Amino acid sequence: MNPRVAVLGGGISGLVAAYRLRRLLGDSVDIEMFERSDHVGGTLHSVEVGGIRLDVGAEAFLVRRPEATALVQELGLTHLLVHPGTLGPNILSGASLHPVARPTLMGIPGDPDTVAYLAEADDLRLMAREPARALKWRSGQDISIGELVGDRFGRSVVERSVDPMLSGVYSARSDDLGLRAVMPGLAARLDAGAPDLTSAVTSLLGAATGSGPVFGALLGGYPVLVDELLRQSAPTVHVETSVGEVRRTPRGWAVDGEPFDGVVCALPAPVTAEIFASVEEIAQPLAGIDVSGSAVVAMALDSGVELPQLSGVLVAGDETSVRAKAFTFSSRKWNHLAGDGGAVRTSFGRYGASVSGIDDRQLIDWASTDLGVVMALAGQEQTPVPVRAAVVQRWPGGIPRYAPGHAGLVSQVDRDRPARLVLAGATYSGVGVPACIGRADAVARVLVTDLAGG
């Protein structure tokens, strides 16, 4: 009989896992996908705002990581690949706009000159003396990025360079993020005996390779990728269907009583812990993972509103003039949107500062007012900015917090997972699209091996 596999979650991770299972097993596998919302794609979703089609989850992917670009090529979508224009972002710090510090390792500089216009004078002197200070590091330890960088380089470097970079990806400040899960390469350098943070960072920056575009996207947005994955994986899809319980059986798994030979779970950690409550080795560790609420306000501006000549603005961790954590000037950043009028994505929410209790009307008002503050600082007085249309997109499952110890927790879960159950999604190996694609592809291959083992 054909093996029957349940894919729990129809986001990018579930779709990639289903696609890889279909490629590896062909028509011999029956794939059923369960998605609690009314559409597949999860947070990779686009909406029409004032006649402009905008992605309202992730809007781009790293092209210097191979997973997303390789999948785009495998699916036959390379002809739709586009890259941002030449404009770069600024950082909002001290009620002023500044260029993003470069080069850095996710905002961590390799020398004081890189952040001389951002950091406090005392912290610049601390950075300069850092190589002469003893670094007490135990191989395998894990601490927050903010604790490490704050101790070695000073708090202004954390708040004005590192936090703006990490908040946009992880919806959390560096004080809430563990080094080993978020920056495994830096942890590895310290484990290998780097004598100080400066040398560890500079060695990684020096080893960085590659030129050309950093980010990519698809004409038509992420729905193009979602639709093609769905077409080629050809699962039976159950939308608006929440899974209540998954239990082990002698031959595999029961999903709400229905028998399956294998399961791919691509759901947020709290949901996974709940539905696998009877599987202690999964439920117990995953129940301890926190998530942060996040929201994007996509806005189409009135005609005649001129956005600054920037791709966007990242907000420093100690900045109080706005509530937003980032702005993307989509119609400046992407050439294919340049003729559609002013289009802006404004992001809200960090770990510990959820926006779940803020209604859509209030978020739109904040987005318009905050954008006006930024435009005034750029020399274009528009407060509040006139908005002709706006849409709020929330991330209902939240973004997992990669706290100190997270990497070890994931290793434990992978080591202890029962046979024929694999776990995918942003909880495990990175929150970005390439990381989710890579994890889903890898665990699908593991499941194929499990199924072949009987």
Side-chain angles (χ1 to χ4, degrees), residues 151-171:
D151 174 61
R152 306 302 294 185
F153 292 169
R155 291 302 304 178
S156 64
V157 175
V158 171
E159 293 166 348
R160 301 173 192 175
S161 186
V162 186
D163 275 350
M165 300 297 290
L166 293 180
S167 287
V169 178
Y170 292 91
S171 283

PDB file of all heavy atoms in Angstrom, residues 151-171:
ATOM      1  N   ASP A 151      29.118  43.773  26.928  1.00  0.00           N
ATOM      2  CA  ASP A 151      30.286  43.686  27.805  1.00  0.00           C
ATOM      3  C   ASP A 151      31.573  44.053  27.070  1.00  0.00           C
ATOM      4  O   ASP A 151      32.429  44.755  27.619  1.00  0.00           O
ATOM      5  CB  ASP A 151      30.398  42.271  28.368  1.00  0.00           C
ATOM      6  CG  ASP A 151      31.680  42.069  29.174  1.00  0.00           C
ATOM      7  OD1 ASP A 151      31.863  42.778  30.179  1.00  0.00           O
ATOM      8  OD2 ASP A 151      32.494  41.214  28.777  1.00  0.00           O
ATOM      9  N   ARG A 152      31.685  43.617  25.829  1.00  0.00           N
ATOM     10  CA  ARG A 152      32.949  43.816  25.107  1.00  0.00           C
ATOM     11  C   ARG A 152      33.005  45.135  24.354  1.00  0.00           C
ATOM     12  O   ARG A 152      34.073  45.755  24.249  1.00  0.00           O
ATOM     13  CB  ARG A 152      33.171  42.655  24.124  1.00  0.00           C
ATOM     14  CG  ARG A 152      33.101  41.266  24.727  1.00  0.00           C
ATOM     15  CD  ARG A 152      34.099  41.048  25.843  1.00  0.00           C
ATOM     16  NE  ARG A 152      35.476  41.089  25.373  1.00  0.00           N
ATOM     17  CZ  ARG A 152      36.531  40.825  26.134  1.00  0.00           C
ATOM     18  NH1 ARG A 152      36.354  40.503  27.417  1.00  0.00           N
ATOM     19  NH2 ARG A 152      37.755  40.886  25.651  1.00  0.00           N
ATOM     20  N   PHE A 153      31.852  45.596  23.811  1.00  0.00           N
ATOM     21  CA  PHE A 153      31.850  46.788  22.967  1.00  0.00           C
ATOM     22  C   PHE A 153      30.989  47.932  23.501  1.00  0.00           C
ATOM     23  O   PHE A 153      31.081  49.046  22.975  1.00  0.00           O
ATOM     24  CB  PHE A 153      31.354  46.439  21.554  1.00  0.00           C
ATOM     25  CG  PHE A 153      32.270  45.557  20.754  1.00  0.00           C
ATOM     26  CD1 PHE A 153      31.830  45.006  19.564  1.00  0.00           C
ATOM     27  CD2 PHE A 153      33.558  45.283  21.166  1.00  0.00           C
ATOM     28  CE1 PHE A 153      32.662  44.199  18.799  1.00  0.00           C
ATOM     29  CE2 PHE A 153      34.404  44.472  20.421  1.00  0.00           C
ATOM     30  CZ  PHE A 153      33.956  43.929  19.226  1.00  0.00           C
ATOM     31  N   GLY A 154      30.137  47.682  24.482  1.00  0.00           N
ATOM     32  CA  GLY A 154      29.325  48.751  25.042  1.00  0.00           C
ATOM     33  C   GLY A 154      27.875  48.707  24.600  1.00  0.00           C
ATOM     34  O   GLY A 154      27.538  48.207  23.526  1.00  0.00           O
ATOM     35  N   ARG A 155      27.008  49.257  25.454  1.00  0.00           N
ATOM     36  CA  ARG A 155      25.575  49.191  25.201  1.00  0.00           C
ATOM     37  C   ARG A 155      25.141  50.002  23.993  1.00  0.00           C
ATOM     38  O   ARG A 155      24.180  49.629  23.302  1.00  0.00           O
ATOM     39  CB  ARG A 155      24.803  49.679  26.434  1.00  0.00           C
ATOM     40  CG  ARG A 155      24.879  48.761  27.633  1.00  0.00           C
ATOM     41  CD  ARG A 155      24.374  47.360  27.338  1.00  0.00           C
ATOM     42  NE  ARG A 155      23.005  47.358  26.811  1.00  0.00           N
ATOM     43  CZ  ARG A 155      22.367  46.252  26.443  1.00  0.00           C
ATOM     44  NH1 ARG A 155      22.969  45.078  26.533  1.00  0.00           N
ATOM     45  NH2 ARG A 155      21.138  46.315  25.986  1.00  0.00           N
ATOM     46  N   SER A 156      25.784  51.108  23.693  1.00  0.00           N
ATOM     47  CA  SER A 156      25.340  51.890  22.534  1.00  0.00           C
ATOM     48  C   SER A 156      25.564  51.130  21.238  1.00  0.00           C
ATOM     49  O   SER A 156      24.799  51.293  20.273  1.00  0.00           O
ATOM     50  CB  SER A 156      26.046  53.246  22.487  1.00  0.00           C
ATOM     51  OG  SER A 156      27.441  53.105  22.302  1.00  0.00           O
ATOM     52  N   VAL A 157      26.578  50.281  21.178  1.00  0.00           N
ATOM     53  CA  VAL A 157      26.786  49.448  19.996  1.00  0.00           C
ATOM     54  C   VAL A 157      25.660  48.426  19.880  1.00  0.00           C
ATOM     55  O   VAL A 157      25.140  48.162  18.789  1.00  0.00           O
ATOM     56  CB  VAL A 157      28.160  48.747  20.059  1.00  0.00           C
ATOM     57  CG1 VAL A 157      28.339  47.788  18.886  1.00  0.00           C
ATOM     58  CG2 VAL A 157      29.281  49.777  20.080  1.00  0.00           C
ATOM     59  N   VAL A 158      25.260  47.840  21.009  1.00  0.00           N
ATOM     60  CA  VAL A 158      24.154  46.885  21.011  1.00  0.00           C
ATOM     61  C   VAL A 158      22.878  47.550  20.500  1.00  0.00           C
ATOM     62  O   VAL A 158      22.213  47.039  19.593  1.00  0.00           O
ATOM     63  CB  VAL A 158      23.923  46.335  22.435  1.00  0.00           C
ATOM     64  CG1 VAL A 158      22.646  45.502  22.497  1.00  0.00           C
ATOM     65  CG2 VAL A 158      25.116  45.512  22.892  1.00  0.00           C
ATOM     66  N   GLU A 159      22.527  48.684  21.089  1.00  0.00           N
ATOM     67  CA  GLU A 159      21.224  49.290  20.826  1.00  0.00           C
ATOM     68  C   GLU A 159      21.135  49.990  19.481  1.00  0.00           C
ATOM     69  O   GLU A 159      20.064  50.033  18.864  1.00  0.00           O
ATOM     70  CB  GLU A 159      20.890  50.275  21.950  1.00  0.00           C
ATOM     71  CG  GLU A 159      20.666  49.568  23.286  1.00  0.00           C
ATOM     72  CD  GLU A 159      20.676  50.501  24.470  1.00  0.00           C
ATOM     73  OE1 GLU A 159      21.090  51.671  24.297  1.00  0.00           O
ATOM     74  OE2 GLU A 159      20.287  50.072  25.571  1.00  0.00           O
ATOM     75  N   ARG A 160      22.253  50.509  18.976  1.00  0.00           N
ATOM     76  CA  ARG A 160      22.195  51.327  17.763  1.00  0.00           C
ATOM     77  C   ARG A 160      22.707  50.617  16.513  1.00  0.00           C
ATOM     78  O   ARG A 160      22.498  51.119  15.401  1.00  0.00           O
ATOM     79  CB  ARG A 160      22.981  52.622  17.988  1.00  0.00           C
ATOM     80  CG  ARG A 160      22.450  53.435  19.156  1.00  0.00           C
ATOM     81  CD  ARG A 160      23.324  54.612  19.490  1.00  0.00           C
ATOM     82  NE  ARG A 160      22.949  55.201  20.783  1.00  0.00           N
ATOM     83  CZ  ARG A 160      23.604  56.193  21.371  1.00  0.00           C
ATOM     84  NH1 ARG A 160      24.687  56.704  20.780  1.00  0.00           N
ATOM     85  NH2 ARG A 160      23.200  56.656  22.536  1.00  0.00           N
ATOM     86  N   SER A 161      23.350  49.482  16.671  1.00  0.00           N
ATOM     87  CA  SER A 161      23.844  48.757  15.499  1.00  0.00           C
ATOM     88  C   SER A 161      23.329  47.320  15.451  1.00  0.00           C
ATOM     89  O   SER A 161      22.847  46.869  14.416  1.00  0.00           O
ATOM     90  CB  SER A 161      25.378  48.762  15.476  1.00  0.00           C
ATOM     91  OG  SER A 161      25.864  48.192  14.283  1.00  0.00           O
ATOM     92  N   VAL A 162      23.415  46.612  16.581  1.00  0.00           N
ATOM     93  CA  VAL A 162      23.029  45.199  16.585  1.00  0.00           C
ATOM     94  C   VAL A 162      21.513  45.037  16.663  1.00  0.00           C
ATOM     95  O   VAL A 162      20.910  44.291  15.879  1.00  0.00           O
ATOM     96  CB  VAL A 162      23.721  44.448  17.741  1.00  0.00           C
ATOM     97  CG1 VAL A 162      23.419  42.956  17.648  1.00  0.00           C
ATOM     98  CG2 VAL A 162      25.223  44.682  17.724  1.00  0.00           C
ATOM     99  N   ASP A 163      20.868  45.730  17.596  1.00  0.00           N
ATOM    100  CA  ASP A 163      19.423  45.603  17.759  1.00  0.00           C
ATOM    101  C   ASP A 163      18.636  45.909  16.481  1.00  0.00           C
ATOM    102  O   ASP A 163      17.698  45.175  16.153  1.00  0.00           O
ATOM    103  CB  ASP A 163      18.925  46.494  18.894  1.00  0.00           C
ATOM    104  CG  ASP A 163      19.047  45.829  20.256  1.00  0.00           C
ATOM    105  OD1 ASP A 163      19.336  44.616  20.307  1.00  0.00           O
ATOM    106  OD2 ASP A 163      18.846  46.520  21.275  1.00  0.00           O
ATOM    107  N   PRO A 164      18.953  46.983  15.746  1.00  0.00           N
ATOM    108  CA  PRO A 164      18.184  47.249  14.533  1.00  0.00           C
ATOM    109  C   PRO A 164      18.240  46.110  13.521  1.00  0.00           C
ATOM    110  O   PRO A 164      17.253  45.829  12.839  1.00  0.00           O
ATOM    111  CB  PRO A 164      18.826  48.526  13.972  1.00  0.00           C
ATOM    112  CG  PRO A 164      19.481  49.165  15.130  1.00  0.00           C
ATOM    113  CD  PRO A 164      19.932  48.050  16.019  1.00  0.00           C
ATOM    114  N   MET A 165      19.386  45.453  13.432  1.00  0.00           N
ATOM    115  CA  MET A 165      19.524  44.343  12.484  1.00  0.00           C
ATOM    116  C   MET A 165      18.749  43.117  12.944  1.00  0.00           C
ATOM    117  O   MET A 165      18.026  42.480  12.161  1.00  0.00           O
ATOM    118  CB  MET A 165      21.002  44.000  12.311  1.00  0.00           C
ATOM    119  CG  MET A 165      21.856  45.137  11.784  1.00  0.00           C
ATOM    120  SD  MET A 165      21.395  45.672  10.112  1.00  0.00           S
ATOM    121  CE  MET A 165      21.937  44.249   9.174  1.00  0.00           C
ATOM    122  N   LEU A 166      18.898  42.768  14.207  1.00  0.00           N
ATOM    123  CA  LEU A 166      18.283  41.536  14.703  1.00  0.00           C
ATOM    124  C   LEU A 166      16.778  41.664  14.882  1.00  0.00           C
ATOM    125  O   LEU A 166      16.041  40.703  14.677  1.00  0.00           O
ATOM    126  CB  LEU A 166      18.939  41.115  16.012  1.00  0.00           C
ATOM    127  CG  LEU A 166      20.398  40.671  15.907  1.00  0.00           C
ATOM    128  CD1 LEU A 166      20.938  40.282  17.276  1.00  0.00           C
ATOM    129  CD2 LEU A 166      20.551  39.508  14.936  1.00  0.00           C
ATOM    130  N   SER A 167      16.310  42.850  15.272  1.00  0.00           N
ATOM    131  CA  SER A 167      14.873  43.023  15.487  1.00  0.00           C
ATOM    132  C   SER A 167      14.091  42.799  14.209  1.00  0.00           C
ATOM    133  O   SER A 167      12.972  42.271  14.240  1.00  0.00           O
ATOM    134  CB  SER A 167      14.585  44.417  16.032  1.00  0.00           C
ATOM    135  OG  SER A 167      14.982  44.540  17.364  1.00  0.00           O
ATOM    136  N   GLY A 168      14.649  43.203  13.089  1.00  0.00           N
ATOM    137  CA  GLY A 168      13.949  43.015  11.828  1.00  0.00           C
ATOM    138  C   GLY A 168      13.802  41.562  11.432  1.00  0.00           C
ATOM    139  O   GLY A 168      12.869  41.196  10.719  1.00  0.00           O
ATOM    140  N   VAL A 169      14.710  40.724  11.884  1.00  0.00           N
ATOM    141  CA  VAL A 169      14.672  39.301  11.525  1.00  0.00           C
ATOM    142  C   VAL A 169      13.956  38.477  12.586  1.00  0.00           C
ATOM    143  O   VAL A 169      13.096  37.639  12.269  1.00  0.00           O
ATOM    144  CB  VAL A 169      16.110  38.767  11.327  1.00  0.00           C
ATOM    145  CG1 VAL A 169      16.088  37.273  10.993  1.00  0.00           C
ATOM    146  CG2 VAL A 169      16.830  39.551  10.235  1.00  0.00           C
ATOM    147  N   TYR A 170      14.291  38.710  13.851  1.00  0.00           N
ATOM    148  CA  TYR A 170      13.828  37.844  14.936  1.00  0.00           C
ATOM    149  C   TYR A 170      12.744  38.467  15.811  1.00  0.00           C
ATOM    150  O   TYR A 170      12.260  37.820  16.737  1.00  0.00           O
ATOM    151  CB  TYR A 170      15.013  37.453  15.822  1.00  0.00           C
ATOM    152  CG  TYR A 170      16.002  36.556  15.136  1.00  0.00           C
ATOM    153  CD1 TYR A 170      17.091  37.090  14.452  1.00  0.00           C
ATOM    154  CD2 TYR A 170      15.844  35.168  15.150  1.00  0.00           C
ATOM    155  CE1 TYR A 170      18.004  36.266  13.800  1.00  0.00           C
ATOM    156  CE2 TYR A 170      16.752  34.343  14.513  1.00  0.00           C
ATOM    157  CZ  TYR A 170      17.830  34.905  13.836  1.00  0.00           C
ATOM    158  OH  TYR A 170      18.726  34.074  13.200  1.00  0.00           O
ATOM    159  N   SER A 171      12.375  39.712  15.542  1.00  0.00           N
ATOM    160  CA  SER A 171      11.385  40.414  16.370  1.00  0.00           C
ATOM    161  C   SER A 171      11.754  40.322  17.849  1.00  0.00           C
ATOM    162  O   SER A 171      10.909  40.075  18.711  1.00  0.00           O
ATOM    163  CB  SER A 171       9.980  39.852  16.140  1.00  0.00           C
ATOM    164  OG  SER A 171       9.454  40.316  14.927  1.00  0.00           O
TER     165      SER A 171
END
